[in-house]
Amino acid sequence: MDQNQHLSKTAEAQHSEERKTRNYCNGFKMFLAALSLSFISKTLSAIIMKGSITQIERRFDISSSTVGLIDGSFEMGNLLVILFVSYFGAKLHRPKLIGIGCFVMGIGSILTALPHFFMGYYRYSKDTPINPSENSTSSLSTCLINQNLLLNRTSLEIVGKGWEKESGSHMWIYILLGNMLRGIGETPITPLGISYIDDFAKEGHSSFYLGNLFAVTMIGPIIGFLLVSLLSKMYVDVGYVDLSTIRITPKDSRWVGAWWLGFLVAGLISVISSIPFFFLPKNLDKPRKEKKASVSLPVQNEEKSQMAHLTKQGQNVSETVAGFFQSLKNILTNPLYVITLVLTLLQASSHIGIITYVFKYVEQQYGQSASETSILFGFITIPTFASGVFTGGYIIKKFKFTLVGIAKFSFCSHMLSFLFHLLNFALICENKSVAGLTLTYDGNNPVASHINVPLSYCNYDCNCDQSQWEPLCGDNGITYISPCLAGCKSSSGSKKSVMFHNCSCVEVNGFQSRNNSMKLGECPKNDQCTRKFYVYIVVQIFIFFSSALGSTSNIMLVFKNVEPELKSLAMGFHSLTIRTLGGIPAPIYFGALIDRACMKWSVNNYGKQGSCRIYNSTLYGNTFFGLTTGLKLPALVLYVVLISVMKKKYQGKDIKTSENERKSVNEANLEPLSSDAAVDRETHI
């Protein structure tokens, strides 16, 4: 009888253990699948925001510096809760915290799209009717003596019909708040998700799962670039207006795509990804043979641990605070760490500025549409960066670099990237020939400044609205600001095929003809600029690859030059510094300097400066690349200083350092991937 009872209990215990194993496997798989979807959704949202910067700027009639503030609000939201997540995250229900984060991130993306539904139809010109489905070409201003009366009447009608709902209002604040919410929601996903996998993965399998996670994450940027490209070709009010009445094309500087649709898609995916996390347990019961002795959240003797914790809490708080400040002092008085921190801050700031405004640069400099630009960067950036990171990690592992060797390798890769970067200055296109901005209104002579160019004999009596931007291209290759300022007396046709005739400011081959006709739209870039564009793409591939080569070594330098017990604090403070001093201000000061290159601003419904219609290409390029050069060059100088200091510190210790690297190189090759995602989330995609 006793033997039978013993066998029965043994069988029951085995069955219970099998059930626990099955539940553990199912729970862990569900967590891994849900986390993968959340990683995809957050990278998708990041790409959509970066790719929609120009569209948002035009839709809300705001400057580049204001758009930079909107972009930096993501990091502001992140900083609001990062301390809470870092301290309390591991103590609370991690899956539910991640689920709440995904839900908040989704709500933030949806909030970003909401202003579209509360604003009126997008009006890309003063002459655009309140309802774009009406004939929009019949109201285009031509050169008439009584044009001033028409302008006054039109502006009064516009004000009376409610321009306060149009772009130029403060609806962009909702974009800022939505992006900030997205930053708040994304904060717990990466650190808590990775720590949960590390705690409950089978022994030795966490690296495999994390590698798969980051590989699956690449689906997000791929979908993001494709989605931005598709939506950029769709008109912003698609489904609300007759698209055949829209007379501008995607290459027009006033074109706004369906930017809001991307945020709705990303928001819905984020909300869906949050659902499984609410059904997952706080801890996964591992099979006995798989339980680790050092699980960070033990489930056994929990009540005893809590009682002991409550007893010693008062004593431990003061000790913890004192220990924290002492540890912080240790890393901030470590010259190697401080030098590495400053040089990576300079590099991150340049990368953030480039990624934020590179779409706009290509559109303005080379005349490419937002759709073409997005698909192009998606095609070259993802495989180039991924291959660069892999190659850099492989080289470090293959040659078993010492710490000094890692610093030298990082310096060489970034020096190579810097040299390729300098080629960008030679690929800047010349300014377009624009009558009234780079040339006199008759197109005969260049002007010293685009500000207050005097009217010419050909349009002096036309009483034109000089704030209007309705560009036309003449047969002489010169772009004219508007039909009225080109001296056009009449028009024919409708919609996109409208033609203007008897344009007195147009001269062909040095002869003026009143029969000159013009079509809507800016003149295209010349052939030389097109050739420079193809070279520019090749140069960017080399820049991305060489920068990615050094990304692994950069992160290794951050935590390998501090004491092992201070590694987590060093990485956390590094992340905080990059976000605060790089992620927030960089888009703002990049945007402010880019604004200085604008030659023609739109005027919003309140009579204030709106978004830029056309830039001085030469000044834009020199400013954009000059600023990035000014950030990259000091970083290279600091690399030389870092290597010199490291040589003095590790002199005679290279053998020991090399042995340590051999033991930890596999860990180091994995950590930079997760650290890059946490530290520089939106700059190296």
Side-chain angles (χ1 to χ4, degrees):
M1 178 71 71
D2 293 339
Q3 185 177 3
N4 291 336
Q5 288 180 348
H6 177 72
L7 291 174
S8 176
K9 289 181 180 180
T10 303
E12 184 178 348
Q14 290 177 348
H15 179 69
S16 176
E17 188 66 24
E18 289 176 358
R19 187 170 61 253
K20 286 183 178 181
T21 303
R22 187 167 57 252
N23 291 337
Y24 158 77
C25 291
N26 292 337
F28 187 79
K29 288 178 180 178
M30 179 182 287
F31 178 83
L32 194 61
L35 190 65
S36 298
L37 185 58
S38 67
F39 269 57
I40 290 173
S41 67
K42 73 186 184 71
T43 52
L44 172 64
S45 301
I47 292 297
I48 289 175
M49 172 55 73
K50 294 296 183 183
S52 301
I53 285 292
T54 306
Q55 314 288 322
I56 292 172
E57 178 181 341
R58 295 172 183 171
R59 183 63 181 97
F60 294 90
D61 239 352
I62 53 180
S63 64
S64 296
S65 56
T66 304
V67 170
L69 176 64
I70 292 174
D71 187 70
S73 65
F74 175 88
E75 302 294 350
M76 297 178 193
N78 207 291
L79 291 173
L80 288 176
V81 295
I82 193 170
L83 291 178
F84 174 84
V85 170
S86 299
Y87 185 77
F88 293 104
K91 307 177 189 298
L92 302 176
H93 197 298
R94 282 180 287 181
K96 286 186 178 179
L97 271 181
I98 296 173
I100 294 171
C102 290
F103 184 79
V104 172
M105 185 171 64
I107 295 301
S109 294
I110 294 172
L111 177 62
T112 302
L114 283 184
H116 169 77
F117 300 98
F118 298 106
M119 300 173 71
Y121 294 122
Y122 172 55
R123 305 188 63 194
Y124 48 83
S125 171
K126 288 185 177 182
D127 293 323
T128 307
I130 298 296
N131 183 356
S133 297
E134 300 171 9
N135 187 356
S136 60
T137 57
S138 61
S139 59
L140 281 171
S141 303
T142 53
C143 181
L144 297 173
I145 300 302
N146 61 346
Q147 184 69 28
N148 56 338
L149 300 177
L150 176 63
L151 287 173
N152 290 337
R153 183 173 70 251
T154 303
S155 60
L156 287 173
E157 289 175 357
I158 287 170
V159 172
K161 291 184 180 180
W163 253 34
E164 64 276 1
K165 292 183 180 180
E166 298 293 326
S167 55
S169 65
H170 296 292
M171 294 290 282
W172 60 267
I173 294 176
Y174 291 98
I175 309 290
L176 185 145
L177 294 176
N179 202 36
M180 187 178 292
L181 268 182
R182 195 170 65 84
I184 291 173
E186 189 174 327
T187 306
I189 296 175
T190 299
L192 299 188
I194 291 176
S195 66
Y196 196 88
I197 289 176
D198 186 58
D199 285 345
F200 299 111
K202 292 181 180 180
E203 188 72 34
H205 284 61
S206 60
S207 298
F208 172 75
Y209 290 128
L210 289 176
N212 287 340
L213 176 65
F214 290 119
V216 171
T217 302
M218 298 306 292
I219 296 174
I222 293 172
I223 297 175
F225 281 116
L226 292 174
L227 191 60
V228 170
S229 177
L230 175 64
L231 297 179
S232 296
K233 292 188 289 188
M234 299 171 59
Y235 188 64
V236 60
D237 292 319
V238 61
Y240 295 94
V241 300
D242 181 4
L243 298 182
S244 63
T245 63
I246 306 302
R247 64 175 183 261
I248 59 174
T249 66
K251 288 195 175 184
D252 195 292
S253 62
R254 297 164 294 172
W255 176 270
V256 176
W259 60 274
W260 52 276
L261 266 175
F263 288 103
L264 284 182
V265 171
L268 290 175
I269 294 176
S270 296
V271 171
I272 292 172
S273 70
S274 71
I275 296 174
F277 290 108
F278 294 103
F279 298 95
L280 289 167
K282 180 178 180 181
N283 302 302
L284 292 173
D285 290 329
K286 288 187 176 183
R288 291 177 184 176
K289 62 180 180 180
E290 294 290 346
K291 285 188 177 180
K292 301 177 185 177
S294 60
V295 173
S296 61
L297 293 176
V299 294
Q300 295 181 348
N301 300 324
E302 187 174 348
E303 293 183 0
K304 293 181 180 179
S305 298
Q306 289 179 351
M307 291 297 295
H309 175 70
L310 291 174
T311 304
K312 299 180 180 180
Q313 187 175 15
Q315 177 183 349
N316 289 342
V317 167
S318 59
E319 293 178 358
T320 300
V321 172
F324 170 77
F325 284 108
Q326 182 60 43
S327 299
L328 187 62
K329 179 182 177 181
N330 288 341
I331 64 172
L332 292 180
T333 54
N334 182 338
L336 296 179
Y337 177 80
V338 173
I339 294 172
T340 306
L341 179 67
V342 175
L343 73 85
T344 52
L345 172 62
L346 292 171
Q347 289 177 331
S349 297
S350 68
H351 293 148
I352 291 168
I354 290 173
I355 293 299
T356 302
Y357 294 106
V358 69
F359 295 93
K360 180 174 181 175
Y361 175 79
V362 172
E363 292 175 41
Q364 289 286 339
Q365 189 70 226
Y366 301 108
Q368 302 297 310
S369 68
S371 175
E372 294 168 339
T373 304
S374 178
I375 199 71
L376 174 67
F377 276 100
F379 180 75
I380 68 173
T381 305
I382 296 174
T384 303
F385 181 73
S387 59
V389 171
F390 175 80
T391 305
Y394 176 79
I395 290 174
I396 292 174
K397 182 176 182 180
K398 177 70 175 178
F399 294 98
K400 300 179 175 64
F401 288 141
T402 63
L403 274 178
V404 177
I406 290 174
K408 290 180 178 179
F409 175 72
S410 184
F411 170 75
C412 291
S413 63
H414 286 96
M415 172 60 78
L416 186 63
S417 173
F418 179 75
L419 294 176
F420 283 123
H421 168 76
L422 294 179
L423 296 177
N424 286 320
F425 287 98
L427 301 175
I428 297 174
C429 293
E430 295 180 357
N431 284 324
K432 279 185 177 181
S433 297
V434 183
L437 293 178
T438 62
L439 301 172
T440 54
Y441 279 104
D442 58 13
N444 290 329
N445 303 302
V447 294
S449 173
H450 64 274
I451 301 174
N452 297 325
V453 176
L455 295 174
S456 184
Y457 64 91
C458 59
N459 58 11
Y460 184 79
D461 295 327
C462 292
N463 296 306
C464 302
D465 179 8
Q466 296 187 51
S467 66
Q468 187 181 23
W469 177 254
E470 194 67 56
L472 301 92
C473 182
D475 293 335
N476 54 2
I478 297 176
T479 299
Y480 294 81
I481 293 177
S482 70
C484 182
L485 289 171
C488 300
K489 304 299 188 296
S490 61
S491 63
S492 63
S494 61
K495 303 172 184 176
K496 294 180 181 179
S497 60
V498 65
M499 296 290 295
F500 294 87
H501 310 288
N502 301 324
C503 302
S504 58
C505 292
V506 181
E507 293 187 6
V508 181
N509 297 325
F511 296 97
Q512 183 177 349
S513 173
R514 291 189 176 275
N515 294 323
N516 282 335
S517 298
M518 304 178 71
K519 60 182 180 180
L520 283 173
E522 295 180 43
C523 294
K525 294 282 187 176
N526 56 37
D527 293 338
Q528 183 183 8
C529 187
T530 303
R531 288 193 294 270
K532 285 184 176 181
F533 172 66
Y534 295 132
V535 178
Y536 171 83
I537 295 304
V538 175
V539 170
Q540 301 319 298
I541 293 175
F542 287 112
I543 292 175
F544 290 149
F545 182 80
S546 52
S547 295
L549 275 178
S551 62
T552 298
S553 52
N554 266 6
I555 301 301
M556 292 179 69
L557 289 173
V558 172
F559 64 80
K560 293 296 182 182
N561 279 313
V562 297
E563 298 297 325
E565 63 272 14
L566 299 178
K567 184 175 74 171
S568 297
L569 179 61
M571 289 301 301
F573 188 79
H574 180 265
S575 175
L576 183 67
T577 303
I578 298 297
R579 292 179 184 280
T580 306
L581 302 181
I584 296 175
I588 298 175
Y589 61 71
F590 264 85
L593 290 176
I594 289 172
D595 284 338
R596 296 172 63 89
C598 183
M599 293 194 298
K600 182 70 175 179
W601 292 94
S602 67
V603 179
N604 64 26
N605 49 298
Y606 299 109
K608 297 181 180 179
Q609 176 181 296
S611 59
C612 187
R613 297 307 191 198
I614 186 170
Y615 288 88
N616 181 321
S617 298
T618 305
L619 182 58
Y620 189 165
N622 288 330
T623 300
F624 189 50
F625 294 123
L627 183 54
T628 52
T629 301
L631 293 169
K632 289 175 178 288
L633 187 58
L636 291 174
V637 174
L638 287 175
Y639 264 118
V640 176
V641 176
L642 177 67
I643 293 171
S644 176
V645 176
M646 289 180 70
K647 282 183 176 180
K648 293 179 181 179
K649 179 176 181 179
Y650 295 118
Q651 189 174 9
K653 301 179 182 179
D654 283 348
I655 296 177
K656 182 178 179 180
T657 306
S658 179
E659 291 174 353
N660 290 335
E661 287 300 319
R662 293 179 189 180
K663 295 178 182 179
S664 61
V665 72
N666 289 329
E667 174 191 355
N669 281 332
L670 175 64
E671 286 200 44
L673 291 176
S674 58
S675 299
D676 272 349
V679 175
D680 207 9
R681 172 180 292 115
E682 295 183 23
T683 62
H684 272 109
I685 297 176

